[in-house]
Amino acid sequence: KDVAGKTAFVTGGASGIGLGMAKSFAGAGMKVAIADIREDHLDQARAEMADAGLANNAIFLTLDVTDRDAYEEAAQQVESALGNLHVLCNNAGIGMAKSIGKASYQDWDWAVDININSLFNGVHTWLPRIRAHGEGGHVVNTASMAGILQYSGAGIYVATKFAVVGFSEALRAELAPEGIGVSAFCPGGVRSNLRDYEATRPGRFANAQQEDAPSGPPPGFNFSEDDLARLQSLTASPEEAGEIVLQGIRDNALYIFTAPEYRPGVQQRFDAVMRAMGEDAARTRTAQDLIPGLVG
Ligand code: NAI
């Protein structure tokens, strides 16, 4: 896919991975609307885009992706400033690495609202517009390696990110006949402000007793200093992540990964699924005739 001259909308675009995407997109000759809930991140993003000589290709909007009315207004603003929108990046997310057994209703509702519901808000707002202009389009949903592999102690995050992968696969199948692409972006570690998420917790999701955002490795892991240093060496920069996403859009990739070191874990997971299913060739053939979409 040729991206030059196209327009992208990146949620959570003022920090970390979203900003990395915005830089790559603008660098490739796209126009980018950077939407974020945090003013301080937006200020920082303005400065970084200007330093990179990319400010002319970008606009900046304050948006809470869980606010549907505000989302509609943001879309109108983007269209009047930049014209038709082609690439939607549902990237805003919070890194709530809490275990399911310890989380509150508020934790769960908030994580689901941002990490899952916002994807639907984005698609519901933008898809009719992409269909209407007929110039093609692409949706990138930022999941995580935690959308493919669970990691202990972070059940809330894992559950939301598995949902992002399922949402992406289903939407891709839905939109393929219209020539609109969809990718599930599953990064491994990327340097960002992801663990600073408590700063934006709205009052309606406040916990009765205020907790601090967890710092350091997620609960359930006990890394030595050496392990942490080795892990750090595997962590990508937001700019590297941005370039990988740009390539994924060009290739209309279903999955976009940054971290091949997770291959053995993924292999184990799918091996376990296959072992648990067993095999019955006759049943498979019958099912294939009846429900081709489900079987392959
Ligand atoms: P980040 O915290 O640096 O960036 C996320 C941005 O989203 C922030 O600027 C934040 O203000 C914004 N945001 C939060 N709530 C919002 C809302 N309601 N409306 C609009 N914007 C909102 O973190 P990062 O790491 O760049 O995260 C981006 C995405 O990447 C997230 O979905 C995260 O789950 C995912 N991810 C990150 C990984 C990492 O290692 N950094 C690994 C795998 C996935």
Side-chain angles (χ1 to χ4, degrees):
K1 275 187 197 175
D2 192 14
V3 296
K6 302 278 199 245
T7 297
F9 183 80
V10 185
T11 69
S15 171
I17 294 173
L19 184 53
M21 289 184 199
K23 286 178 183 169
S24 292
F25 296 170
M30 297 175 76
K31 291 173 283 177
V32 191
I34 292 176
D36 206 287
I37 198 172
R38 278 184 69 160
E39 296 298 338
D40 55 338
H41 286 184
L42 284 163
D43 288 343
Q44 175 74 22
R46 268 188 208 97
E48 286 193 33
M49 291 296 279
D51 285 350
L54 301 168
N56 288 342
N57 291 7
I59 63 165
F60 301 84
L61 301 95
T62 306
L63 173 67
D64 175 354
V65 288
T66 67
D67 182 338
R68 291 170 176 160
D69 295 334
Y71 213 132
E72 173 62 30
E73 278 171 38
Q76 289 173 17
Q77 242 178 294
V78 171
E79 282 181 327
S80 59
L82 303 177
N84 291 340
L85 191 284
H86 309 91
V87 175
L88 164 63
C89 295
N90 283 315
N91 168 76
I94 52 170
M96 189 190 284
K98 284 196 179 176
S99 59
I100 294 167
K102 288 191 183 145
S104 64
Y105 278 129
Q106 291 84 348
D107 291 335
W108 172 256
D109 288 348
W110 184 38
V112 166
D113 211 14
I114 297 192
N115 290 4
I116 307 179
N117 293 344
S118 70
L119 274 67
F120 186 76
N121 297 344
V123 170
H124 197 269
T125 305
W126 283 114
L127 183 57
R129 296 174 149 94
I130 293 172
R131 282 177 166 150
H133 66 57
E135 296 169 2
H138 198 92
V139 181
V140 177
N141 300 311
T142 303
S144 169
M145 270 321 300
I148 304 277
L149 285 178
Q150 84 83 26
Y151 67 97
S152 302
I156 299 287
Y157 188 70
V158 167
T160 64
K161 292 303 185 177
F162 267 65
V164 174
V165 173
F167 182 95
S168 305
E169 291 186 6
L171 187 65
R172 183 176 170 102
E174 250 181 76
L175 299 183
E178 300 175 55
I180 299 171
V182 180
S183 301
F185 175 40
C186 302
V190 180
R191 285 181 284 285
S192 77
N193 293 307
L194 188 63
R195 300 189 73 76
D196 189 24
Y197 63 86
E198 283 292 346
T200 53
R201 186 189 283 261
R204 68 186 187 282
F205 295 126
N207 278 320
Q209 210 176 349
Q210 201 52 48
E211 292 176 61
D212 292 332
S215 61
F221 285 90
N222 219 341
F223 293 118
S224 68
E225 288 295 315
D226 274 3
D227 289 341
L228 278 176
R230 282 208 304 277
L231 268 180
Q232 187 67 22
S233 76
L234 294 172
T235 304
S237 70
E239 288 76 15
E240 287 167 327
E243 284 301 307
I244 290 171
V245 172
L246 177 61
Q247 192 56 46
I249 295 171
R250 287 183 164 135
D251 297 343
N252 187 19
L254 165 53
Y255 305 110
I256 305 173
F257 289 107
T258 68
E261 65 271 18
Y262 288 96
R263 276 183 74 107
V266 175
Q267 180 83 54
Q268 272 177 27
R269 171 159 184 255
F270 287 106
D271 285 350
V273 171
M274 298 315 280
R275 275 197 309 275
M277 286 194 77
E279 199 174 359
D280 181 331
R283 282 182 64 137
T284 307
R285 272 195 303 277
T286 309
Q288 230 149 5
D289 289 343
L290 294 173
I291 38 173
L294 202 59
V295 183

